[in-house]
PDB file of all heavy atoms in Angstrom:
ATOM      1  N   ASP A 308     -39.465  53.836 -35.327  1.00  0.00           N
ATOM      2  CA  ASP A 308     -39.372  54.223 -33.901  1.00  0.00           C
ATOM      3  C   ASP A 308     -38.922  53.043 -33.005  1.00  0.00           C
ATOM      4  O   ASP A 308     -38.668  53.270 -31.841  1.00  0.00           O
ATOM      5  CB  ASP A 308     -40.777  54.673 -33.475  1.00  0.00           C
ATOM      6  CG  ASP A 308     -40.772  56.124 -33.150  1.00  0.00           C
ATOM      7  OD1 ASP A 308     -39.694  56.758 -33.186  1.00  0.00           O
ATOM      8  OD2 ASP A 308     -41.873  56.683 -32.861  1.00  0.00           O
ATOM      9  N   TYR A 309     -38.830  51.841 -33.556  1.00  0.00           N
ATOM     10  CA  TYR A 309     -38.577  50.649 -32.720  1.00  0.00           C
ATOM     11  C   TYR A 309     -37.150  50.546 -32.225  1.00  0.00           C
ATOM     12  O   TYR A 309     -36.896  49.772 -31.324  1.00  0.00           O
ATOM     13  CB  TYR A 309     -38.969  49.388 -33.444  1.00  0.00           C
ATOM     14  CG  TYR A 309     -40.469  49.132 -33.519  1.00  0.00           C
ATOM     15  CD1 TYR A 309     -41.024  48.302 -34.465  1.00  0.00           C
ATOM     16  CD2 TYR A 309     -41.294  49.737 -32.532  1.00  0.00           C
ATOM     17  CE1 TYR A 309     -42.417  48.077 -34.481  1.00  0.00           C
ATOM     18  CE2 TYR A 309     -42.674  49.437 -32.541  1.00  0.00           C
ATOM     19  CZ  TYR A 309     -43.218  48.647 -33.529  1.00  0.00           C
ATOM     20  OH  TYR A 309     -44.567  48.407 -33.581  1.00  0.00           O
ATOM     21  N   ASP A 310     -36.183  51.232 -32.893  1.00  0.00           N
ATOM     22  CA  ASP A 310     -34.868  51.159 -32.388  1.00  0.00           C
ATOM     23  C   ASP A 310     -34.189  52.562 -32.517  1.00  0.00           C
ATOM     24  O   ASP A 310     -34.677  53.361 -33.312  1.00  0.00           O
ATOM     25  CB  ASP A 310     -34.009  50.052 -33.030  1.00  0.00           C
ATOM     26  CG  ASP A 310     -33.666  50.331 -34.459  1.00  0.00           C
ATOM     27  OD1 ASP A 310     -33.093  51.388 -34.792  1.00  0.00           O
ATOM     28  OD2 ASP A 310     -33.962  49.491 -35.320  1.00  0.00           O
ATOM     29  N   PRO A 311     -33.133  52.827 -31.759  1.00  0.00           N
ATOM     30  CA  PRO A 311     -32.558  54.148 -31.731  1.00  0.00           C
ATOM     31  C   PRO A 311     -31.856  54.524 -33.091  1.00  0.00           C
ATOM     32  O   PRO A 311     -31.441  55.683 -33.281  1.00  0.00           O
ATOM     33  CB  PRO A 311     -31.504  54.123 -30.659  1.00  0.00           C
ATOM     34  CG  PRO A 311     -31.218  52.653 -30.460  1.00  0.00           C
ATOM     35  CD  PRO A 311     -32.468  51.951 -30.815  1.00  0.00           C
ATOM     36  N   SER A 312     -31.764  53.547 -34.044  1.00  0.00           N
ATOM     37  CA  SER A 312     -31.074  53.840 -35.278  1.00  0.00           C
ATOM     38  C   SER A 312     -32.072  54.011 -36.442  1.00  0.00           C
ATOM     39  O   SER A 312     -31.754  53.822 -37.595  1.00  0.00           O
ATOM     40  CB  SER A 312     -30.094  52.716 -35.615  1.00  0.00           C
ATOM     41  OG  SER A 312     -29.102  52.648 -34.607  1.00  0.00           O
ATOM     42  N   GLY A 313     -33.356  54.310 -36.071  1.00  0.00           N
ATOM     43  CA  GLY A 313     -34.359  54.517 -37.114  1.00  0.00           C
ATOM     44  C   GLY A 313     -34.652  53.276 -37.905  1.00  0.00           C
ATOM     45  O   GLY A 313     -34.987  53.384 -39.120  1.00  0.00           O
ATOM     46  N   GLY A 314     -34.614  52.118 -37.299  1.00  0.00           N
ATOM     47  CA  GLY A 314     -34.961  50.893 -37.977  1.00  0.00           C
ATOM     48  C   GLY A 314     -33.728  50.113 -38.542  1.00  0.00           C
ATOM     49  O   GLY A 314     -33.865  48.943 -38.907  1.00  0.00           O
ATOM     50  N   ALA A 315     -32.591  50.791 -38.577  1.00  0.00           N
ATOM     51  CA  ALA A 315     -31.388  50.165 -39.162  1.00  0.00           C
ATOM     52  C   ALA A 315     -30.938  48.902 -38.344  1.00  0.00           C
ATOM     53  O   ALA A 315     -30.462  47.921 -38.935  1.00  0.00           O
ATOM     54  CB  ALA A 315     -30.212  51.168 -39.253  1.00  0.00           C
ATOM     55  N   ASP A 316     -31.045  48.979 -37.024  1.00  0.00           N
ATOM     56  CA  ASP A 316     -30.621  47.833 -36.240  1.00  0.00           C
ATOM     57  C   ASP A 316     -31.525  46.618 -36.440  1.00  0.00           C
ATOM     58  O   ASP A 316     -31.114  45.498 -36.643  1.00  0.00           O
ATOM     59  CB  ASP A 316     -30.663  48.198 -34.728  1.00  0.00           C
ATOM     60  CG  ASP A 316     -29.526  49.239 -34.385  1.00  0.00           C
ATOM     61  OD1 ASP A 316     -28.537  49.281 -35.134  1.00  0.00           O
ATOM     62  OD2 ASP A 316     -29.675  49.940 -33.381  1.00  0.00           O
ATOM     63  N   ASN A 317     -32.869  46.868 -36.388  1.00  0.00           N
ATOM     64  CA  ASN A 317     -33.797  45.758 -36.577  1.00  0.00           C
ATOM     65  C   ASN A 317     -33.765  45.260 -38.015  1.00  0.00           C
ATOM     66  O   ASN A 317     -34.148  44.060 -38.224  1.00  0.00           O
ATOM     67  CB  ASN A 317     -35.239  46.219 -36.216  1.00  0.00           C
ATOM     68  CG  ASN A 317     -35.467  46.132 -34.723  1.00  0.00           C
ATOM     69  OD1 ASN A 317     -34.922  45.320 -34.052  1.00  0.00           O
ATOM     70  ND2 ASN A 317     -36.237  47.106 -34.242  1.00  0.00           N
ATOM     71  N   LYS A 318     -33.358  46.027 -38.947  1.00  0.00           N
ATOM     72  CA  LYS A 318     -33.252  45.576 -40.347  1.00  0.00           C
ATOM     73  C   LYS A 318     -32.264  44.409 -40.458  1.00  0.00           C
ATOM     74  O   LYS A 318     -32.430  43.522 -41.322  1.00  0.00           O
ATOM     75  CB  LYS A 318     -32.856  46.720 -41.281  1.00  0.00           C
ATOM     76  CG  LYS A 318     -33.015  46.413 -42.783  1.00  0.00           C
ATOM     77  CD  LYS A 318     -32.780  47.588 -43.654  1.00  0.00           C
ATOM     78  CE  LYS A 318     -33.014  47.224 -45.112  1.00  0.00           C
ATOM     79  NZ  LYS A 318     -32.811  48.477 -45.993  1.00  0.00           N
ATOM     80  N   ARG A 319     -31.269  44.359 -39.610  1.00  0.00           N
ATOM     81  CA  ARG A 319     -30.297  43.287 -39.671  1.00  0.00           C
ATOM     82  C   ARG A 319     -30.920  41.995 -39.134  1.00  0.00           C
ATOM     83  O   ARG A 319     -30.432  40.916 -39.508  1.00  0.00           O
ATOM     84  CB  ARG A 319     -29.095  43.618 -38.762  1.00  0.00           C
ATOM     85  CG  ARG A 319     -28.239  44.730 -39.283  1.00  0.00           C
ATOM     86  CD  ARG A 319     -26.986  44.992 -38.501  1.00  0.00           C
ATOM     87  NE  ARG A 319     -27.297  45.747 -37.282  1.00  0.00           N
ATOM     88  CZ  ARG A 319     -27.129  45.256 -36.052  1.00  0.00           C
ATOM     89  NH1 ARG A 319     -26.783  44.031 -35.818  1.00  0.00           N
ATOM     90  NH2 ARG A 319     -27.433  46.025 -35.005  1.00  0.00           N
ATOM     91  N   ARG A 320     -31.937  42.115 -38.353  1.00  0.00           N
ATOM     92  CA  ARG A 320     -32.603  40.914 -37.742  1.00  0.00           C
ATOM     93  C   ARG A 320     -33.833  40.491 -38.521  1.00  0.00           C
ATOM     94  O   ARG A 320     -34.076  39.304 -38.764  1.00  0.00           O
ATOM     95  CB  ARG A 320     -32.988  41.185 -36.293  1.00  0.00           C
ATOM     96  CG  ARG A 320     -33.771  40.073 -35.646  1.00  0.00           C
ATOM     97  CD  ARG A 320     -34.018  40.376 -34.143  1.00  0.00           C
ATOM     98  NE  ARG A 320     -34.873  39.336 -33.558  1.00  0.00           N
ATOM     99  CZ  ARG A 320     -36.196  39.524 -33.398  1.00  0.00           C
ATOM    100  NH1 ARG A 320     -36.774  40.634 -33.801  1.00  0.00           N
ATOM    101  NH2 ARG A 320     -36.887  38.524 -32.910  1.00  0.00           N
TER     102      ARG A 320
END
Side-chain angles (χ1 to χ4, degrees):
D308 248 355
Y309 283 158
D310 70 56
S312 301
D316 290 338
N317 278 326
K318 191 172 184 178
R319 292 184 283 114
R320 173 176 176 264

